[in-house]
Amino acid sequence: MAVVDTSTDVTGIGGTIEVEVGAMAHGGHCVARHEGRVVFVRHAVPGEKVRVTLTEAEEGARFWRGDVVEVLRPSEFRRIHQWKLADMLRAHASGRPPVGGAEFGHIVVPHQRRLKAQVFRDTVHRIADLAVEPGVCFAGSEDEPTGQRWRTRNAFAVTPQGHIAMHAYRSATLLPVRNMPLGVPALDALALWDWDFTGAARVDVATPASGSRPLVLVTPTPQTRVDEVKLGRLRTRIRQAANACGVDVSTGLALPGPKQFLPVKVERITGKTWVEETVESERGGTKRFRVTGDGFWQVHQHAPATLVDAVLEDARVEPGQVVADLYGGAGLFSAYLADAVGPEGRVYSVEASRRASKDARRNLHEQPQASVLNGPTDKVLGSWLKYPERPVADGGLGGAALDTVVLDPPRAGAGRRAIERILALEPGRIVYVSCDPASFARDLAWLRDGGYEVERARVVDLYPDTHHLESVTALVPAAQSAPTAAVVEI
């Protein structure tokens, strides 16, 4: 471990202090105190005594931030970090910052999950004023004790010399990488660290869990985009690298539209501009999905099946029912919900992204009971409220009531307008899939104000070795909730 002079505390940015580490907070920091001031500490484990280098320490600030550079009294749950480049202790000893994205790699995996459950519980209590004890589970049928080799979607920055890199935490500093321990083995097989990406700003890689053809999507720098010669050279280098890498790989350029909110254009270089994902669900069977370009898909190789099973269990959908799948993406949940409601039922897959909606139409084309509605969620919900008798063929409910709403919003959550409109539609059940406990807790408070109570909550560890967590929560009208407990632990 790094050796630091422990004789005197020195405050200010770059100074070091000694602290006792308290609880884990949302965002991957532990809470500590130094002379009455809160210090958010990264790379610690609750209960440890550590030396911290301050990274943000303005005199009048309400709180400071810092990184652990020496462990004076380690936790029983600390281990040697699984990724050398992300290890703060080794990085400090080498005089460099660590890469971001694996800030829990120094904690044994079972304790990572306990900490994530604690963060979920504390965040929901603080924001929604609700005591919830979630069940905790992991993705897939077999546990991953190392927390590695699970990630099918990876994004890299590019150095001026054309090498893939990752950012240091809260920094513009780029650190070239030659491996990615969180990624599935198919990522290493591409050996992207040997490709020349000069002229690119970003590289996104999709390596499907089923082993089908991966896709490398390259975003040029603004300077490269407007220079046809440079852009042509980048295309040539990518094509040559793809042909030489020994893996059947699709490649393309991601070209942003002329305006900020226009969709990114994907230009094919080799192979296809999309990947095929296979999902093997215990409750719903096996299905295949097409996902174009950098379209959203759960990053853990077992996440789609795990979440599908959780959603089907909590939604309790029956044949003939009407279900809304909000923020439906490429149609993952919609495809399985459509099977559950059967030909006499109806599923509405609502998605704002045009490209994702196009994928959803392809993925759902054999299920006529599924309708894909492209548009902002709150506007679609508003149209259902304003025109309740609009025909199904025109995207309306045709006078029917919603039996169940499933929503999987982005990290920012659904927001007040969407929540209020969900409440106005009065569904019999709500299943909320969330990747951010703070935005979920905010939305949950509004749902409870609107008369819904938590029936079950669970934390699913889809992001081992990181602070991120996923949750699946079932809510029902208060009159239907169990009188003795709001939450059933699984």
Side-chain angles (χ1 to χ4, degrees):
M1 296 184 179
V3 178
V4 179
D5 178 7
T6 61
S7 57
T8 307
D9 282 0
V10 180
T11 57
I13 295 176
T16 59
I17 59 175
E18 182 179 308
V19 294
E20 298 271 352
V21 179
M24 185 66 68
H26 174 46
H29 305 80
C30 290
V31 180
R33 290 187 178 274
H34 178 72
E35 297 180 352
R37 190 193 306 269
V38 170
V39 183
F40 290 113
V41 179
R42 288 176 71 81
H43 312 286
V45 185
E48 292 185 326
K49 184 176 182 180
V50 296
R51 293 283 293 179
V52 173
T53 291
L54 297 172
T55 56
E56 297 180 23
E58 295 183 4
E59 184 62 33
R62 292 187 300 109
F63 59 85
W64 291 345
R65 296 180 188 272
D67 294 330
V68 173
V69 294
E70 184 182 10
V71 180
L72 305 175
R73 187 185 66 233
S75 164
E76 63 183 302
F77 303 114
R78 178 176 281 273
R79 66 177 179 181
I80 296 174
H81 202 292
Q82 300 292 285
W83 186 8
K84 185 182 296 185
L85 279 179
D87 183 355
M88 181 62 215
L89 299 179
R90 282 184 279 194
H92 177 71
S94 301
R96 60 165 176 81
V99 298
E103 62 282 340
F104 273 19
H106 63 287
I107 308 172
V108 296
V109 171
H111 196 55
Q112 291 181 30
R113 295 182 183 138
R114 288 191 287 269
L115 293 175
K116 291 176 184 183
Q118 171 246 304
V119 168
F120 178 85
R121 182 175 60 246
D122 292 352
T123 304
V124 168
H125 185 266
R126 175 172 55 86
I127 297 176
D129 193 25
L130 177 65
V132 174
E133 189 61 45
V136 183
C137 55
F138 54 83
S141 58
E142 295 184 4
D143 200 357
E144 299 162 328
T146 68
Q148 297 187 353
R149 301 304 181 192
W150 52 268
R151 194 176 182 105
T152 66
R153 296 305 193 273
N154 291 275
F156 300 96
V158 180
T159 68
Q161 294 76 32
H163 303 303
I164 61 169
M166 296 183 68
H167 283 96
Y169 177 69
R170 294 173 67 91
S171 170
T173 301
L174 292 179
L175 301 167
V177 297
R178 291 196 62 83
N179 67 346
M180 175 51 168
L182 303 187
V184 294
L187 176 65
D188 283 351
L190 294 171
L192 295 174
W193 26 88
D194 293 331
W195 294 31
D196 183 356
F197 291 106
T198 302
R202 177 184 171 102
V203 177
D204 290 271
V205 190
T207 45
S210 60
S212 61
R213 179 188 291 176
L215 171 63
V216 177
L217 203 57
V218 181
T219 302
T221 64
Q223 296 79 8
T224 302
R225 287 204 306 270
V226 299
D227 188 323
E228 274 301 324
V229 174
K230 291 182 178 179
L231 193 60
R233 289 173 179 166
L234 178 58
R235 286 192 194 97
T236 299
R237 287 193 297 271
I238 294 170
R239 182 180 295 107
Q240 290 174 341
N243 292 337
C245 80
V247 175
D248 185 16
V249 56
S250 297
T251 60
L253 294 178
L255 302 172
K259 295 184 180 179
Q260 182 179 0
F261 297 105
L262 290 179
V264 172
K265 175 185 175 183
V266 178
E267 177 191 307
R268 187 185 74 87
I269 298 177
T270 65
K272 304 179 183 299
T273 58
W274 50 271
V275 297
E276 181 180 86
E277 293 283 356
T278 301
V279 179
E280 298 179 354
S281 161
E282 290 186 7
R283 289 178 172 268
T286 299
K287 292 184 181 294
R288 290 179 173 81
F289 297 85
R290 170 173 169 164
V291 184
T292 301
D294 60 349
F296 174 77
W297 190 255
Q298 292 289 342
V299 300
H300 192 294
Q301 59 182 336
H302 300 304
T306 299
L307 292 178
V308 162
D309 285 333
V311 166
L312 291 178
E313 183 180 7
D314 283 348
R316 301 183 186 177
V317 174
E318 298 178 359
Q321 289 190 330
V322 180
V323 179
D325 177 18
L326 308 181
Y327 313 94
L332 172 64
F333 297 146
S334 296
Y336 286 96
L337 291 167
D339 283 352
V341 302
E344 302 303 318
R346 171 65 46 184
V347 170
Y348 296 88
S349 186
V350 180
E351 171 57 47
S353 165
R354 294 179 186 176
R355 182 184 296 160
S357 291
K358 189 175 181 179
D359 283 341
R361 290 189 179 94
R362 291 192 183 96
N363 296 328
L364 302 171
H365 76 279
E366 294 182 355
Q367 296 169 293
Q369 67 270 40
S371 298
V372 178
L373 306 182
N374 176 234
T377 294
D378 60 326
K379 290 187 177 181
V380 173
L381 296 173
S383 71
W384 288 345
L385 289 167
K386 188 174 182 180
Y387 306 106
E389 303 298 327
R390 178 176 287 170
V392 171
D394 295 330
L397 296 178
L402 281 179
D403 294 292
T404 301
V405 167
V406 175
L407 67 158
D408 183 7
R411 194 169 300 280
R416 184 156 203 155
R417 180 180 295 181
I419 294 297
E420 288 177 344
R421 292 178 177 182
I422 291 171
L423 291 169
L425 288 164
E426 300 181 338
R429 297 185 71 82
I430 298 171
V431 180
Y432 194 132
V433 181
S434 171
C435 62
D436 186 278
S439 62
F440 165 72
R442 178 205 63 198
D443 290 349
L444 175 61
W446 293 328
L447 288 168
R448 294 187 70 231
D449 288 345
Y452 285 76
E453 290 295 340
V454 173
E455 181 182 69
R456 167 164 54 191
R458 46 186 148 178
V459 169
V460 189
D461 187 16
L462 301 185
Y463 313 97
D465 280 6
T466 82
H467 76 271
H468 296 288
L469 62 91
E470 195 89 359
S471 63
V472 181
T473 304
L475 300 101
V476 295
Q480 299 178 24
S481 63
T484 56
V487 178
V488 178
E489 184 176 355
I490 61 170

